[in-house]
Amino acid sequence: MRITPLGAGQEVGRSCIMLEFKSKTIMLDCGLHPAHSGLAALPFFDNIDPASIDVLLITHFHIDHAAALPYFMEKTTFRGRVFMTHPTKAIFKWLLADYVKVSSLAVDDQLYDEKDLLRAFDKIEAVDFHQLVDIDGIKFTAYNAGHVLGAAMFLIEIAGVRVLYTGDYSREEDRHLMAAERPPNITPEVLISESTYGVQTHQSRVERETQFTKTVHKIVSRGGRCLIPVFALGRAQELLLILDEYWQLHPELHPVPIYYASALAKKCMTVYQTFSNMMNARIRAQTSSGHNPFHFKHISNLKSMNYFDDVGACVMMASPGMLQNGQSRELLERWCTDSRNGVLIPGYVVDGTLGHDIVNNKVDTIPAMSGGPKLPLNLLVEYVSFSAHVDFAQNSQFIEELGSPNLVLVHGAATEMGRLKSALTSRYHESDRQLNIYTPKNCEAVELYFKGERMAKAIGTLAKTALTNNMRVEGVLVSHDFTYRLIDPRDLPEFTDLVSASLTQRLVVSSRAPLSLVKWHLEGMYGTLGKDADDDDAFFVCVFNTVKVKDLGTHRLVLEWEGNSVNDMVADSVLAIILQAESSPASVKGEHCSLFLLSTMDLLLTLRLELE
């Protein structure tokens, strides 16, 4: 088995993992790197042949996991099948349509347009959680990953070897999503897991919600504007639930407006309401009672900045979450010079983005997108992680519970990934269990070797009799998609697309030896020869009831038999005897003896007649 990251190898961004085994090829995720643009943001597609990929699985709708999909489907030779869950497919279309519209690239530099997106969308196939899909020997099942609505981890099985790819996952239930589930009663041979936070430990949910609301309250209480850069969908819905509840409990904040600046908000909220059955028990209970949990009392959707009256304190949630462009970047440039204002970063920010530089205090000024002078960064900068990724405690516990002997770490910066590997190596060094850990770079392959046991199942007529040790069983061994079945030939039409047939072989041999002499030689080798009861031809013998020998006259014999491995060997031996019949000394002696006996008998008969 070969596992090769084309993206997310010792980095966060452009997730794209290649899985090759038993002549089957699967691509896991197909995202763009948020810190780059144009072709530089793509995974390393030039290292592969897209036409060789059988199946492409998308774990969730985020840009770094799905945004390269239209390019890959429409601009390359890929002709395989693409799968994602129903919520992911529903949101994927709107999210990438918005991505194309707000892209700051020139038309010639864009990776794809809206027409490419729509063509790709029509080819995508949606699957349910826990649905087993089998495509030419590739079996996979989606399990809830808890990261965002519709996020899945995929359990893949090829030739009995199982691989679990987590994608981005969270083991903590929040206000609207369930925690990631573990595939039940299964220990995959390989686990491909994210390592985003390495050995870091998250705050408890109560602690981070308290810090978040306290920071927002402090900023707006002094008349400031609070910017919360988020992805358009995902963590944004969690933060909206928190803010709406907090505003409801604090009447003094009611005059302060909360805006959600996203043209997608209204469209995608419909998707959230449609798939509320995939959320946690709290949301399902509210929905079943007739209450819409995503109908917010204190939050207004802002389709465009043209509708925004920037007067006084407010809270603004805007995308993108890493401040590289778009509305969140425009607002940051507008508000960064006023110390009363603040920016609250609620999720993971990738190295190379402005959001990462701000959180890590790497800059005290920011460049203006318009190309003007740099702007001083005077506003308050706070980081409260609501990122729905596992921390070290959750990740290590999941790895231990799953029990896979091989762990491939992806989706993590090189330093975080290295720390996680060291921590896990130390933990398992002290235990009896062996864990092989791999941390490949982009385009660096991990090769694993498996010796799978081959087991054939007897079905149909053969299964009616209980099998015992050392019992001889005969049938046709049928191999299909790495599974083996032993079937009675008469059952082939019922259980397979195959039909049984017999092949009659005929071989004409030139021989001057008469059939009687050939028969004498054959009896010397095989004993008594048979004769087909249905055949009245006197010039005919049958060896072992399998090979018929017939005299055609004019010094020609014909051999006829039903072709199979045993009969073919008998026919070969019969042919060898026929070819030796003329030249064998025993044949000559036998022929002379036969003639002498006939002559003697004729003489005795003549004498007897004369005496009479």
Side-chain angles (χ1 to χ4, degrees), residues 420-438:
L420 178 58
K421 179 181 179 179
S422 298
L424 292 173
T425 302
S426 300
R427 173 177 293 190
Y428 285 94
H429 179 72
E430 300 171 358
S431 66
D432 297 331
R433 182 187 150 199
Q434 182 179 0
L435 178 63
N436 303 310
I437 306 174
Y438 305 90

Side-chain angles (χ1 to χ4, degrees), residues 326-345:
Q327 291 179 341
S328 63
R329 177 64 175 271
E330 293 176 11
L331 291 168
L332 177 66
E333 293 182 10
R334 184 187 297 186
W335 294 343
C336 68
T337 57
D338 190 339
S339 60
R340 294 177 302 167
N341 301 331
V343 56
L344 203 161
I345 310 290

Side-chain angles (χ1 to χ4, degrees), residues 230-432:
V230 292
F231 289 112
L233 297 159
R235 290 296 85 197
Q237 282 62 43
E238 178 76 3
L239 300 178
L240 291 172
L241 289 167
I242 295 171
L243 286 173
D244 197 58
E245 180 182 294
Y246 188 79
W247 249 241
Q248 183 66 26
L249 296 174
H250 293 78
E252 72 277 11
L253 293 177
H254 290 184
V256 179
I258 304 175
Y259 299 106
Y260 181 25
S262 173
L264 293 175
K266 202 165 186 179
K267 295 177 182 177
C268 293
M269 274 305 173
T270 305
V271 178
Y272 270 71
Q273 294 162 16
T274 302
F275 293 102
S276 59
N277 62 310
M278 294 187 178
M279 300 181 194
N280 60 24
R282 175 176 175 266
I283 296 296
R284 293 199 302 271
Q286 291 180 354
T287 303
S288 61
S289 65
H291 172 65
N292 181 1
F294 295 101
H295 178 70
F296 302 112
K297 296 180 180 179
H298 304 282
I299 298 167
S300 302
N301 291 327
L302 200 63
K303 292 183 179 180
S304 168
M305 296 306 295
N306 295 329
Y307 299 97
F308 175 50
D309 188 10
D310 189 6
V311 177
C314 67
V315 179
M316 177 71 76
M317 294 179 62
S319 61
M322 301 187 194
L323 298 167
Q324 62 269 40
N325 51 37
Q327 291 179 341
S328 63
R329 177 64 175 271
E330 293 176 11
L331 291 168
L332 177 66
E333 293 182 10
R334 184 187 297 186
W335 294 343
C336 68
T337 57
D338 190 339
S339 60
R340 294 177 302 167
N341 301 331
V343 56
L344 203 161
I345 310 290
Y348 186 85
V349 280
V350 175
D351 190 9
T353 62
L354 180 60
H356 182 273
D357 292 342
I358 289 175
V359 167
N360 291 278
N361 298 317
K362 292 185 177 180
V363 293
D364 52 13
T365 60
I366 59 173
M369 288 193 296
S370 61
K374 290 188 175 182
L375 305 169
L377 195 65
N378 297 329
L379 80 176
L380 173 69
V381 177
E382 284 282 345
Y383 175 70
V384 182
S385 177
F386 283 89
S387 181
H389 295 270
V390 285
D391 62 5
F392 174 69
Q394 297 163 358
N395 206 8
S396 59
Q397 181 183 7
F398 185 75
I399 292 168
E400 184 173 351
E401 289 177 359
L402 208 59
S404 298
N406 300 289
L407 173 63
V408 181
L409 297 177
V410 295
H411 198 282
T415 52
E416 296 294 344
M417 193 180 289
R419 290 169 184 166
L420 178 58
K421 179 181 179 179
S422 298
L424 292 173
T425 302
S426 300
R427 173 177 293 190
Y428 285 94
H429 179 72
E430 300 171 358
S431 66
D432 297 331

Side-chain angles (χ1 to χ4, degrees), residues 397-534:
Q397 181 183 7
F398 185 75
I399 292 168
E400 184 173 351
E401 289 177 359
L402 208 59
S404 298
N406 300 289
L407 173 63
V408 181
L409 297 177
V410 295
H411 198 282
T415 52
E416 296 294 344
M417 193 180 289
R419 290 169 184 166
L420 178 58
K421 179 181 179 179
S422 298
L424 292 173
T425 302
S426 300
R427 173 177 293 190
Y428 285 94
H429 179 72
E430 300 171 358
S431 66
D432 297 331
R433 182 187 150 199
Q434 182 179 0
L435 178 63
N436 303 310
I437 306 174
Y438 305 90
T439 57
K441 299 177 182 178
N442 284 334
C443 303
E444 179 182 336
V446 173
E447 294 186 348
L448 304 171
Y449 299 90
F450 300 97
K451 294 181 179 179
E453 294 184 357
R454 295 185 179 181
M455 178 178 67
K457 294 182 179 180
I459 62 174
T461 304
L462 295 180
K464 292 180 180 179
T465 304
L467 303 181
T468 59
N469 290 335
N470 300 319
M471 180 178 177
R472 182 185 177 90
V473 181
E474 294 183 356
V476 179
L477 185 64
V478 179
S479 173
H480 178 67
D481 293 342
F482 309 113
T483 61
Y484 300 90
R485 295 176 293 173
L486 193 63
I487 306 174
D488 187 290
R490 294 167 295 182
D491 295 336
L492 286 174
E494 181 179 354
F495 295 102
T496 70
D497 295 330
L498 305 174
V499 293
S500 58
S502 60
L503 177 67
T504 300
Q505 300 194 60
R506 302 184 70 200
L507 178 65
V508 178
V509 183
S510 297
S511 175
R512 293 185 176 275
L515 183 62
S516 59
L517 181 58
V518 172
K519 181 179 179 182
W520 183 82
H521 276 280
L522 292 175
E523 286 177 335
M525 174 62 70
Y526 301 111
T528 304
L529 301 180
K531 193 172 187 302
D532 195 333
D534 298 331

